[in-house]
């Protein structure tokens, strides 16, 4: 058994735009949360790893500093990681996308307690907007930072739950009537994870591991479609949006230094990799504000070593308006 | 009370509120005196076409954003055409640029902006101007005509229309009006037209 990390955890949180069809459950669009508005979001993700259920819960708060600049902060809680790296980190085996640990031919029972992953910060700045009636083309730059420091034992980095570090990238979103398409390209520069444990076989009696995760590039393509309503009568009309999102990620091999010696990784999970996941999703928006997102993540090409598929996730999000003099009236008229 | 540039005459008119309506007096040479009077006027409604959105959640945040303005009585959004109809509090000075900015703050753009005002026996023409709440309202590309009744003013400027439309008016946007009252600080010129 081995701790499984999430690739997409908080990415489900990555949402702040106000366009139904580009309120992607998994990826951020180029549009931002409105100026002076707070957003809150909660997400739960689960997948089954052999007989073990892996869960992650995350809470996020968003704020629009200006119309073009938004910031987000998120924390997560999961049972994805053990409290320490596996004893046989370098060679722990992976079968398909299943992960086991063996030492002396025995499967070790590693406990995976629910722990807080860290604080994830995200900032996005819209640099380009071309609006038209019922459409737009927009572009934004983003930067992200994570304080996460957990015993993640695969090469693949993920700032939302697995690894600390920095990232950044570029998003372009095109909205036309009921359809939205968004492309995100980004990079991740993860921090190392360092661990020292008592081991009296060594002198001094410590076993030190310095695990450098691979740097990663990701390419994400999202499609959204406003299915219902065809015509609006009021703000209380239920909105249903369909999504198809792809997430491609390429990462380098991990570098491992144990007791000051460079050790070559053997496990596939620590070598370089590339995979694409596919996330079909559906979204319900109530009263033009409260959002419920449901999505399932499947392997599309290769697979991640840091999570199993399918990933079942759901999220809830709402905007909080401050300084508003009064609530908008719900329209009942027919247009 | 007149002229400023290019030898063109610019006439300021003072607006006097009569309940909800406004009678506007066009005063050529006496205008200077009247400019010193406390002038207030009331726009009746405004229609703002919001660009860059489709869904009702987007209309919702735009409406919320507009409602933060203290002079707005009510906002009605047409969720299909994305046109916001604004009504103003009686007697409150209305700042059209702040309305446009609120749409931008919500994350969208103004595709078109019109406002209704009551005019009584006013002869409008190119470069006719009036003053309202410290701002100059300057007519361009407007045929000469006399107006009594509700006039729909189309606001012109980058912040009030899409780029394509703006190009049509850009060349005509030369400020030729200024206040006759030197003590009155006019911070804003709105270019408008009557279609």
């Amino acid at each position: 058994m081995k701790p499984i990390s999430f690739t997409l955890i908080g990415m489900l949180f990555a949402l702040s735009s106000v366009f139904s069809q580009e309120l992607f459950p998994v990826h951020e669009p180029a549009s931002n949360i409105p100026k002076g508005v707070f957003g809150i979001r909660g997400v739960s993700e689960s997948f089954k790893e052999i007989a073990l259920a892996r869960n992650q819960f995350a809470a996020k708060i968003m704020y629009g500093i200006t119309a073009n600049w938004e910031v987000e902060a998120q924390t997560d809680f999961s049972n994805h990681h053990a409290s320490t790296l596996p004893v046989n980190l370098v060679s722990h085996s992976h079968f398909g996308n299943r992960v086991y640990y063996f030492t002396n031919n025995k499967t070790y029972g590693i406990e995976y307690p629910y722990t807080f992953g860290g604080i994830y910060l995200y900032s996005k700045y819209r640099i380009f907007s071309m609006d038209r009636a019922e459409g737009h083309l927009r572009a934004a730059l983003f930067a992200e930072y994570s304080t996460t420091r957990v015993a993640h034992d695969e090469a693949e980095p993920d700032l939302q739950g697995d690894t600390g570090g920095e990232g950044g990238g570029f998003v372009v979103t095109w909205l036309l009537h009921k359809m939205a398409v968004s492309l995100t390209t980004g990079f991740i520069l993860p921090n190392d994870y360092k661990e020292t444990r008592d081991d009296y076989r060594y002198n001094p009696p410590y076993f030190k591991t310095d695990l450098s995760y691979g740097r990663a590039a990701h390419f994400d393509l999202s499609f959204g479609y406003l299915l219902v309503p065809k015509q609006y009568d009021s703000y209380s009309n239920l909105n249903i949006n369909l999504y198809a999102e792809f997430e491609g990620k390429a990462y380098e091999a991990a570098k491992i230094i144990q007791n000051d010696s460079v050790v070559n990784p053997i496990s596939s999970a620590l070598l370089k990799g590339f995979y694409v996941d596919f996330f079909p999703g559906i979204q319900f928006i109530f009263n033009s504000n409260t959002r419920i997102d449901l999505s399932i993540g499947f392997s599309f090409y290769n697979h991640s070593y840091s999570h199993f598929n399918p990933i079942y996730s759901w999220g809830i999000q709402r905007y909080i308006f401050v300084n508003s003099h009064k609530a908008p009236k719900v329209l009942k008229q027919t247009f | 009370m007149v002229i400023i540039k290019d030898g063109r005459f610019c006439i300021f008119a003072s607006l006097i509120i009569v309940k909800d309506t406004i009678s506007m007096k066009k005063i050529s040479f006496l205008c200077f005196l009247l400019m010193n009077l406390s002038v207030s006027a009331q726009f009746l409604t405004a229609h703002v076409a919001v660009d860059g959105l489709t869904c009702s959640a987007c209309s919702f945040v735009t409406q919320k954003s507009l409602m933060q303005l203290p002079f707005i009585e009510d906002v009605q959004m047409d969720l299909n055409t994305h046109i916001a109809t604004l009504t103003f509090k009686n007697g409150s000075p209305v700042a059209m640029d702040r309305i446009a900015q609120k749409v931008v703050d919500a994350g969208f753009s103004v595709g078109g902006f019109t406002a209704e005002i009551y005019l009584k026996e006013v002869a409008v023409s190119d470069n006719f101007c009036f003053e309202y709440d410290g701002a100059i309202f300057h007519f361009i590309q407007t045929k000469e005509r006399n107006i009594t009744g509700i006039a729909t003013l189309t606001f012109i400027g980058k912040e009030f229309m899409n780029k394509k439309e703006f190009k049509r008016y850009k060349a005509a946007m030369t400020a030729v009006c200024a206040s006759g009252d030197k003590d009155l600080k006019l911070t804003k010129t709105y270019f408008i037209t009557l279609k």
Side-chain angles (χ1 to χ4, degrees):
Chain A
M1 304 272 288
K2 99 163 254 190
I4 297 263
S5 53
F6 246 177
T7 308
L8 294 163
I9 297 314
M11 282 189 164
L12 280 186
F13 298 79
L15 285 190
S16 340
S17 129
V18 285
F19 310 94
S20 268
Q21 317 87 295
E22 58 172 52
L23 291 169
F24 305 113
V26 184
H27 299 114
E28 284 268 358
S31 298
N32 291 336
I33 190 166
K35 182 185 174 185
V37 173
F38 284 96
I40 48 170
R41 183 168 172 82
V43 164
S44 166
E45 283 197 2
S46 303
F47 57 88
K48 205 174 168 193
E49 179 189 341
I50 321 297
L52 189 66
R54 298 288 196 172
N55 300 307
Q56 181 167 23
F57 308 100
K60 178 182 230 175
I61 184 161
M62 303 158 247
Y63 183 68
I65 295 173
T66 70
N68 293 327
W69 183 24
E70 76 163 84
V71 288
E72 303 178 358
Q74 175 187 306
T75 187
D76 71 288
F77 184 68
S78 80
N79 66 344
H80 286 171
H81 304 96
S83 51
T84 60
L85 291 171
V87 175
N88 59 341
L89 169 70
V90 174
S91 60
H92 66 270
S93 304
H94 289 251
F95 301 96
N97 70 346
R98 296 184 172 190
V99 185
Y100 297 100
Y101 295 109
F102 289 103
T103 300
N104 297 332
N105 295 322
K106 282 186 178 177
T107 304
Y108 269 64
I110 299 172
E111 291 185 355
Y112 302 99
Y114 278 96
T115 50
F116 281 104
I119 303 291
Y120 169 77
L121 303 172
Y122 178 92
S123 178
K124 182 171 58 177
Y125 194 85
R126 178 153 53 107
I127 54 169
F128 173 79
S129 278
M130 199 165 74
D131 289 359
R132 47 159 285 176
E134 299 207 332
H136 62 232
L137 179 65
R138 294 176 170 187
L141 295 172
F142 68 88
E144 50 192 347
Y145 175 78
S146 171
T147 65
T148 302
R149 191 190 162 280
V150 291
H152 174 60
D153 57 9
E154 292 100 5
E156 180 186 336
D158 178 7
L159 299 178
Q160 301 184 70
D162 287 342
T163 52
E166 305 91 49
F170 181 68
V171 195
V172 182
T173 304
W174 183 55
L175 170 82
L176 188 61
H177 302 296
K178 297 185 173 187
M179 183 82 189
V181 184
S182 187
L183 180 70
T184 304
T185 60
F187 63 89
I188 299 170
L189 304 174
N191 290 339
D192 293 2
Y193 175 77
K194 293 177 185 177
E195 185 180 286
T196 301
R197 73 164 139 239
D198 294 344
D199 192 328
Y200 294 96
R201 291 176 296 174
Y202 297 94
N203 184 22
Y206 301 114
F207 186 70
K208 287 194 293 183
T209 301
D210 185 346
L211 176 53
S212 300
Y213 304 103
R215 294 174 300 177
H218 56 98
F219 315 92
D220 315 315
L221 183 61
S222 301
F223 299 90
Y225 183 74
L226 172 62
L227 186 69
V228 168
K230 299 290 179 203
Q231 190 84 352
Y232 285 105
D233 298 326
S234 79
Y235 283 127
S236 55
N237 287 152
L238 173 68
N239 281 230
I240 300 177
N241 297 303
L242 299 180
Y243 295 98
E245 299 184 69
F246 295 88
E247 170 151 319
K249 200 173 191 180
Y251 52 90
E252 300 174 322
K255 291 175 187 137
I256 304 167
I257 297 173
Q258 288 183 318
N259 277 0
D260 301 324
S261 303
V262 175
V263 184
N264 290 323
I266 298 167
S267 165
S268 307
L270 292 163
L271 299 177
K272 69 177 182 180
F274 173 69
Y275 71 93
V276 180
D277 274 355
F278 170 56
F279 295 80
I282 187 165
Q283 177 178 69
F284 304 91
I285 302 179
F286 301 93
N287 291 321
S288 300
N289 192 352
T290 305
R291 253 175 66 184
I292 304 253
D293 304 334
L294 304 170
S295 73
I296 305 177
F298 299 101
S299 290
F300 185 76
Y301 174 76
N302 284 345
H303 62 80
S304 169
Y305 284 97
S306 73
H307 64 258
F308 278 50
N309 295 95
I311 300 173
Y312 300 93
S313 58
W314 70 275
I316 182 164
Q317 180 174 321
R318 191 174 165 81
Y319 284 160
I320 298 169
F321 299 90
V322 287
N323 300 325
S324 197
H325 289 246
K326 54 201 144 184
K329 287 177 188 169
V330 172
L331 295 184
K332 290 291 181 191
Q333 73 204 70
T334 306
F335 299 103
Chain B
M1 157 63 283
V2 207
I3 331 256
I4 312 295
K5 217 167 143 190
D6 298 342
R8 282 181 284 183
F9 278 80
C10 172
I11 304 160
F12 284 88
S14 59
L15 305 171
I16 300 158
I17 287 194
V18 181
K19 290 189 179 173
D20 279 346
T21 62
I22 303 149
S23 68
M24 180 183 276
K25 292 184 178 176
K26 179 186 147 193
I27 298 152
S28 318
F29 297 101
L30 292 174
C31 198
F32 179 78
L33 289 172
L34 288 174
M35 288 306 289
N36 289 320
L37 295 175
S38 171
V39 172
S40 65
Q42 185 74 46
F43 278 97
L44 308 172
T45 53
H47 295 279
V48 183
V50 183
D51 275 2
L53 55 78
T54 313
C55 74
S56 63
C58 335
S59 299
F60 185 75
V61 296
T62 310
Q63 180 162 355
K64 279 284 201 179
S65 181
L66 288 167
M67 289 188 118
Q68 292 178 354
L69 294 169
F71 53 81
I72 286 186
E73 176 68 33
D74 192 28
V75 179
Q76 293 278 315
M77 281 292 293
D78 185 318
L79 303 179
N80 296 302
T81 60
H82 314 111
I83 293 173
T85 300
L86 285 58
T87 47
F88 304 117
K89 285 181 184 162
N90 202 6
S92 291
V94 175
M96 301 304 178
D97 52 347
R98 289 179 68 193
I99 295 172
Q101 186 57 46
K102 281 294 176 190
V103 172
V104 172
D105 288 349
F108 306 103
S109 308
V110 175
F113 194 117
T114 60
E116 281 75 42
I117 193 167
Y118 186 84
L119 301 176
K120 192 177 178 187
E121 291 172 17
V122 178
V124 299
S125 61
D126 246 3
N127 293 321
F128 172 77
C129 300
F130 69 86
E131 202 175 308
Y132 162 69
D133 190 39
I136 294 173
F137 289 75
H138 183 162
F139 285 82
I140 57 174
Q141 298 195 4
T142 303
K143 286 179 188 168
E144 204 170 320
R145 73 188 97 161
N146 286 308
I147 292 180
T148 297
I150 293 172
T152 301
L153 308 179
T154 300
F155 282 70
I156 297 162
K158 266 184 189 169
E159 68 272 45
F160 294 119
M161 54 181 44
N162 62 44
K163 280 181 185 168
K164 198 177 166 187
E165 190 87 345
F166 177 62
K167 277 181 187 168
R168 287 177 47 206
Y169 292 100
K170 203 176 172 181
M173 291 173 65
T174 310
V176 295
C177 300
S179 175
D181 183 353
K182 286 175 186 169
D183 297 332
L184 194 64
K185 286 182 182 171
L186 296 177
T187 52
K188 177 83 187 167
T189 296
Y190 291 105
F191 289 94
I192 50 179
T193 190
L194 258 180
K195 286 183 177 174

